[in-house]
Amino acid sequence: GESVGLHLPTLSVQEGDNSIINCAYSNSASDYFIWYKQESGKGPQFIIDIRSNMDKRQGQRVTVLLNKTVKHLSLQIAATQPGDSAVYFCAEIHTGRRALTFGSGTRLQVQP
Amino acid sequence: GAGVSQSPSNKVTEKGKDVELRCDPISGHTALYWYRQSLGQGLEFLIYFQGNSAPDKSGLPSDRFSAERTGGSVSTLTIQRTQQEDSAVYLCASSLKPYNEQFFGPGTRLTVL
């Protein structure tokens, strides 16, 4: 079946370093991708999204890269801060569905 | 403005009892979603409402699960004859329209003893 998965379950970085979180998806029909951040005890919080007609999108300190050829998505966080510590999920929607399919998540730990 | 709200925040019930979980979406959002998140796992889609269209129930794990959305706003997720494997955080999200950013509520943590 289709799946959206993550390469690394836990990522530990030093404060001030850049973080890269990776995600693979299997459905070539996926046309909308989102990264969510989830802190303990809270619902997922939107970070950034990208549509399949784009390769890159930048936000404030975050960049999402999409490689449709290899079905790979990444989230780059610049100058990682302690407040960035959370679990990060990639999610996708494909034509014919309206609900998101989520990956299993990567925990980002920022060391001071 | 107010975000998505859910109630109760926590629910402890005994196996075999029925439970109702409530979601108040953001005003004006036409799309409403229910997801389930088991401990340390990603989110699992349950059901989706869009306007007056028939809901997409393809994610409901069994016929013990049902949901309604009254007046295109508030939604209730009902789990009948709860089982221990139903223990999870149930998250509701809404979006202005399909393929838009989904805003999540804080979730209801359900524990079935």
Side-chain angles (χ1 to χ4, degrees):
Chain A
E2 64 189 53
S3 66
V4 178
L6 296 170
H7 296 313
L8 299 173
T10 303
L11 177 64
S12 184
V13 300
Q14 290 295 123
E15 181 178 358
D17 287 352
N18 297 332
S19 302
I20 300 176
I21 301 172
N22 296 303
C23 178
Y25 63 95
S26 60
N27 192 332
S28 58
S30 299
D31 49 19
Y32 180 49
F33 304 86
I34 308 175
W35 280 100
Y36 281 93
K37 172 186 179 182
Q38 188 174 27
E39 296 173 290
S40 181
K42 298 182 180 180
Q45 177 186 1
F46 173 91
I47 301 174
I48 192 168
D49 60 0
I50 189 168
R51 299 195 183 274
S52 59
N53 61 352
M54 302 173 67
D55 298 322
K56 179 180 180 179
R57 189 157 190 231
Q58 289 184 294
Q60 186 177 10
R61 286 201 304 117
V62 295
T63 300
V64 56
L65 298 177
L66 175 63
N67 186 330
K68 295 181 288 294
T69 301
V70 296
K71 299 189 185 70
H72 185 268
L73 191 70
S74 69
L75 176 69
Q76 300 178 0
I77 304 174
T80 313
Q81 303 169 0
D84 295 328
S85 294
V87 177
Y88 290 80
F89 294 95
C90 64
E92 60 90 6
I93 289 179
H94 60 273
T95 302
R97 289 203 65 183
R98 294 292 184 265
L100 295 164
T101 299
F102 280 81
S104 56
T106 291
R107 180 174 299 280
L108 177 64
Q109 297 177 333
V110 182
Q111 308 297 328
Chain B
V4 178
S5 61
Q6 293 184 243
S7 61
S9 56
N10 280 284
K11 177 70 177 178
V12 180
T13 190
E14 294 180 347
K15 178 181 175 181
K17 295 288 182 66
D18 298 351
V19 295
E20 284 189 353
L21 312 179
R22 177 187 169 104
C23 172
D24 285 84
I26 294 173
S27 178
H29 280 195
T30 64
L32 186 147
Y33 314 77
W34 282 99
Y35 295 87
R36 178 169 70 175
Q37 185 174 30
S38 300
L39 185 63
Q41 299 297 313
L43 281 71
E44 172 191 7
F45 164 71
L46 297 176
I47 189 169
Y48 159 74
F49 296 90
Q50 171 56 40
N52 296 321
S53 302
D56 176 352
K57 304 179 181 180
S58 60
L60 295 178
S62 78
D63 57 9
R64 296 186 295 105
F65 288 72
S66 62
E68 293 183 340
R69 188 179 186 191
T70 55
S73 182
V74 172
S75 178
T76 301
L77 177 69
T78 301
I79 308 173
Q80 296 178 309
R81 305 181 302 281
T82 52
Q83 303 294 313
Q84 289 183 334
E85 60 263 29
D86 299 335
S87 296
V89 175
Y90 289 81
L91 289 154
C92 175
S94 70
S95 64
L96 186 60
K97 52 186 178 180
Y99 292 99
N100 272 208
E101 175 187 348
Q102 295 182 20
F103 294 84
F104 282 82
T108 294
R109 179 174 297 279
L110 174 66
T111 303
V112 181
L113 301 177

